């Protein structure tokens, strides 16, 4: 029997609601798309509840029209500089040694890994196993069924601002949907665009959105490091608007239509026409001038990604290089500039293993939305850990402990 899964990519420039059908064979087919301009958000964070709710409602309504479904629940992306991560270790004794390690043992080990100090205004949204150790034997990927006395887990914990989560959930609920789970944008994008071999060898996923850039390092098949940078494509647009004296909307349009990250790759005689801010009179602008503005800011974004990779300490473990996605990744020449700045192989990430309305989502800008659908489509195959109560005693809004358990 087919079931429906909904993913809402809540970005600073666009809100995209994707509706997918998951068949008995696990195949994911896109049947609905709702893409609208974003309002009420800045750098991935809700700053105006009323505007953000209205934009979400418009996106959901459009997705309902195209899919023919009445949407009730969704997986929702979260981004912003408030997102941080840390690695932790959990150790437990195996409860039934003769029966082998069970899912319950793994869950207890992951729960033990969460016994870390988290700032009072933050909460854990993901708990991702990096690897297991059974009685001193390291490198175990799937401990279930193994015999042993002691189980250890190395886990990657992702935290987010409690306030940011609550405001986001409030807006989604205001649009008429319940939130199944909030998912880090970088991790969601990785689910959509990365190949299994890349994740095993070592790769960086960089989702360059309008207001933020989400960076995730994948090694040995799972996430080892995540960070969100407070810079994105909007900074390029802002520089274009100032440098060429254009309205912001026109600057964004010019960037996508005529933009290039490599001035030397543009014909020096090539021009395009625009109207200045507050003036209807058309004027010609050399394309190389636009490319020079874009190059400077894009290089800055890539340099910040490079610094984030080096700060992670895993820069020497990334033979698969960097996969770029997000709207800014569509800029011409960004792969070449990326290889120069990062010193690593660079490719563009497009959603994989999706069917149906592929043309509507087959570009790097929709990596997060496609990843949210993929995340939701595999939920039933992954055991879920129960949420623990808040220190105040009240229940958490979301299932914050998501385990990438085998099975």
């Amino acid at each position: 029997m087919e079931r429906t899964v909904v993913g809402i990519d809540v970005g600073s420039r666009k809100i995209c609601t994707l509706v997918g059908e998951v068949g008995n064979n696990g195949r994911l087919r896109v049947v609905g798309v709702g893409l609208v301009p974003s309002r009420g958000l800045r750098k991935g964070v809700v700053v105006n509840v009323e505007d953000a709710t209205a934009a979400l409602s418009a996106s959901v309504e459009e997705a309902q029209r195209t899919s023919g479904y009445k949407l009730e629940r969704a997986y929702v992306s979260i981004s912003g500089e408030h997102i941080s991560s840390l690695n932790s270790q959990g150790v437990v004794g195996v409860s039934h040694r003769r029966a082998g390690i069970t899912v319950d043992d793994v869950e207890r080990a992951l729960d033990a890994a969460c016994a870390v100090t988290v700032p009072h205004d933050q909460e854990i949204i993901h708990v991702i196993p990096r690897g297991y150790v059974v009685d001193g034997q390291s490198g175990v990927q799937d401990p279930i069924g193994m015999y042993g006395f002691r189980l250890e887990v190395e886990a990657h914990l992702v935290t987010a601002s409690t306030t940011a989560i609550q405001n986001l959930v409030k807006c989604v609920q205001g649009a008429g949907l319940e939130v199944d789970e909030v998912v880090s944008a970088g991790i969601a994008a990785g689910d959509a665009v990365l190949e299994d071999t890349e994740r095993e060898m070592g790769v960086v996923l960089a989702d360059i959105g309008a207001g933020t850039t989400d960076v995730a390092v994948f090694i040995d098949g799972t996430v080892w490091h995540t960070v969100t940078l407070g810079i994105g494509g909007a900074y390029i647009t802002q520089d274009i608007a100032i440098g060429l004296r254009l309205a912001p909307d026109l600057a964004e349009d010019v960037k996508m239509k005529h933009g290039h990250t490599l001035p030397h790759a543009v014909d020096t005689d090539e021009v395009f026409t625009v109207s200045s801010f507050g003036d209807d009179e058309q004027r010609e602008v050399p394309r190389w001038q636009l490319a020079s503005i874009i190059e400077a800011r894009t290089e800055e974004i890539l340099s910040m990604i490079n610094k984030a990779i080096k700060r992670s300490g895993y820069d020497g473990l990334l033979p698969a290089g960097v996969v770029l996605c997000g709207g800014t990744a569509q800029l011409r020449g960004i792969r070449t500039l990326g290889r120069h700045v990062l010193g690593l192989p660079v490719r563009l990430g497009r959603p994989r293993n999706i069917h149906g309305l592929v043309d509507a989502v087959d570009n790097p800008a929709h990596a997060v939305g496609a990843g949210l659908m993929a995340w939701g489509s595999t939920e039933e195959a992954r055991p879920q850990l129960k949420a623990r109560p808040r220190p105040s005693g009240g229940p958490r809004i979301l299932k914050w402990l998501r385990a990438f358990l085998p099975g």
Side-chain angles (χ1 to χ4, degrees):
M1 181 178 177
E2 289 186 343
R3 60 187 180 90
T4 307
V5 61
V6 180
I8 304 180
D9 176 14
V10 184
S12 299
R13 186 169 296 279
K14 65 174 175 60
I15 294 178
C16 182
T17 301
L18 297 181
V19 184
E21 291 178 344
V22 185
N24 294 330
N25 58 358
R27 180 170 170 167
L28 182 61
R29 187 164 68 96
V30 181
V31 296
V33 180
L35 181 62
V36 301
S38 181
R39 288 188 291 148
L41 289 110
R42 183 175 298 134
K43 293 189 177 183
V45 176
V46 174
V47 294
N48 186 309
V49 171
E50 184 178 349
D51 286 351
T53 301
L56 278 160
S57 297
S59 176
V60 170
E61 288 172 7
E62 186 177 328
Q64 289 182 147
R65 281 197 306 271
T66 56
S67 67
Y69 285 104
K70 170 64 177 175
L71 307 185
E72 297 179 349
R73 313 187 65 83
Y75 293 85
V76 182
S77 70
I78 189 167
S79 186
E81 292 180 276
H82 60 91
I83 292 179
S84 61
S85 66
L86 69 155
N87 296 317
S88 180
Q89 186 180 49
V91 182
V92 296
V94 177
S95 34
H96 302 288
R97 300 183 182 93
R98 292 185 179 180
I101 296 170
T102 63
V103 171
D104 180 66
D105 293 320
V106 175
E107 290 179 348
R108 288 191 299 109
L110 288 168
D111 195 47
C114 295
V116 295
T117 301
V118 176
H120 72 279
D121 59 345
Q122 296 275 117
E123 61 183 77
I124 299 172
I125 59 172
H126 299 302
V127 180
I128 305 171
R130 291 173 44 179
Y132 300 90
V133 179
V134 178
D135 288 355
Q137 177 186 341
S138 60
V140 176
Q141 296 297 318
D142 183 355
I144 295 176
M146 295 181 65
Y147 292 105
F149 292 88
R150 174 187 170 98
L151 174 65
E152 304 174 46
V153 62
E154 289 282 347
H156 181 66
L157 313 183
V158 181
T159 68
S161 162
T162 300
T163 301
I165 293 172
Q166 290 175 341
N167 286 332
L168 179 60
V169 171
K170 181 178 181 178
C171 292
V172 176
Q173 290 176 336
L177 277 68
E178 291 299 322
V179 177
D180 277 320
E181 193 171 356
V182 291
V183 183
S184 164
I187 294 176
D191 266 17
V193 305
L194 295 181
E195 303 284 350
D196 290 341
T197 52
E198 290 174 329
R199 299 166 70 107
E200 287 292 336
M201 292 178 64
V203 68
V204 175
L205 184 286
D207 178 67
I208 311 176
T212 60
T213 296
D214 293 283
V215 180
V217 177
F218 293 79
I219 300 174
D220 291 341
T222 190
V223 184
W224 281 33
H225 180 76
T226 50
V227 66
T228 298
L229 310 176
I231 190 171
Y235 284 83
I236 303 174
T237 303
Q238 183 179 18
D239 273 13
I240 295 171
I242 295 171
L244 301 183
R245 302 188 304 279
L246 303 177
D249 289 346
L250 180 56
E252 176 68 19
D253 188 52
V254 164
K255 179 180 77 174
M256 300 313 298
K257 282 185 178 179
H258 306 288
H260 205 295
T261 60
L262 304 172
H264 65 268
V266 175
D267 191 334
T268 55
D269 296 327
E270 190 173 355
V271 298
F272 58 93
T273 58
V274 295
S275 56
S276 297
F277 191 78
D279 188 357
D280 294 332
E281 185 177 345
Q282 296 288 309
R283 61 186 174 88
E284 291 187 343
V285 176
R287 193 179 173 207
W288 65 262
Q289 184 179 351
L290 172 65
S292 297
I293 296 172
I294 293 174
E295 179 191 37
R297 186 61 88 173
T298 305
E299 189 170 343
E300 182 180 348
I301 294 173
L302 292 168
S303 296
M304 290 183 67
I305 294 172
N306 194 37
K307 289 178 182 177
I309 294 171
K310 292 185 182 301
R311 280 197 298 268
S312 75
Y314 305 126
D315 49 308
L317 302 173
L318 305 169
V322 179
V323 176
L324 299 177
C325 59
T328 306
Q330 298 177 95
L331 284 171
R332 299 170 186 87
I334 195 168
R335 287 182 60 198
T336 302
L337 184 61
R339 286 193 290 266
H340 171 71
V341 174
L342 300 170
L344 291 167
V346 176
R347 77 168 179 89
L348 300 187
R350 297 176 180 274
R352 305 177 304 113
N353 303 325
I354 58 173
H355 308 275
L357 302 176
V358 177
D359 291 344
V361 296
D362 186 26
N363 66 68
H366 292 297
V368 174
L372 290 169
M373 286 193 302
W375 181 277
S377 69
T378 58
E379 180 186 23
E380 292 184 354
R382 295 172 178 173
Q384 301 292 311
L385 300 185
K386 300 297 186 294
R388 293 191 301 191
R390 286 181 166 282
S392 61
R396 288 190 183 272
I397 298 176
L398 305 172
K399 300 176 294 183
W400 61 271
L401 200 52
R402 170 65 175 256
F404 282 23
L405 300 181

